[in-house]
Amino acid sequence: MSIDQIRRDYTQRSLERSDLSANPISQFQQWFDDTLNNNCGTDPTAMVLSTCAENKPTQRVVLLKGIAENGFVFYTNYESQKGKQLAANANCSLHFAWLPQERQITVTGTAERLSIAENTRYFQSRPRASQLGAWASAQSEVIADRKSLEQQLAEVESRFASEEVLPLPPFWGGFRVVPETIEFWQGRSGRLHDRFRYQNTATGWLLERLQP
């Protein structure tokens, strides 16, 4: 089959204004719970993070690690490509593609660093292997080969061998994306999809339907 003939119709659900919560964070939680409880996809927390510095946009998949009224949380190496780009330009977007349910959510907003206390609490809750990996990897930097990476890990394992609790790396932590807009997309037949966008205004959340 030719690639331009690969398609499917979206017929599972519809989305009306009356279906939506007045608060987009509550609405996000409803859709997230639906995805999680119905086993729709292996990585429900996976989201595409888009950043832009020097007019060069970049995307990668990161994992959602917290959701509250003040934003969406993920963790990374602050000296990675995304960390440096967010330091230069805090404007970013998040995209969730829950395709088994024919749903997408797009968030735009600004990223702010979490506190050292928040970073430490989460870092020390991670599996030890993940903590060691964070210490070992100079994320986004060039490396000669896999053997060199494994050697860096071995050095870190030796360094912290006698420590039950690993300290927080000074270069590692979380970002909170404070939302300015949140769009909910529900696939519909004939590409006449249902789209609703919440905008954060001085008087609260403004909800509008968008054309597909």
Side-chain angles (χ1 to χ4, degrees), residues 59-149:
Q59 297 177 309
R60 77 288 289 160
V61 174
V62 297
L63 300 180
L64 178 68
K65 290 300 179 182
I67 174 65
E69 288 297 324
N70 58 353
F72 300 77
V73 170
F74 68 93
Y75 292 86
T76 188
N77 185 317
Y78 286 140
E79 297 176 3
S80 65
Q81 182 187 53
K82 57 185 170 294
K84 291 177 179 177
Q85 288 188 330
L86 289 171
N89 179 4
N91 295 306
C92 61
S93 83
L94 305 172
H95 180 254
F96 298 84
W98 294 328
L99 300 183
Q101 292 183 292
E102 301 174 354
R103 287 174 169 173
Q104 301 179 65
I105 300 175
T106 303
V107 179
T108 67
T110 56
E112 59 184 26
R113 287 193 181 193
L114 300 187
S115 68
I116 292 177
E118 290 172 301
N119 290 339
T120 301
R121 182 168 56 250
Y122 175 70
F123 181 79
Q124 293 180 343
S125 76
R126 304 174 83 207
R128 186 176 179 87
S130 297
Q131 295 181 46
L132 290 168
W135 270 104
S137 173
Q139 193 176 110
S140 302
E141 295 297 319
V142 173
I143 194 167
D145 50 34
R146 179 77 188 189
K147 184 177 180 181
S148 299
L149 181 61

Side-chain angles (χ1 to χ4, degrees), residues 165-186:
V165 178
L166 272 65
L168 173 72
F171 50 81
W172 193 95
F175 284 100
R176 177 181 293 108
V177 177
V178 181
E180 296 173 0
T181 69
I182 304 179
E183 179 185 325
F184 292 82
W185 180 101
Q186 178 67 63

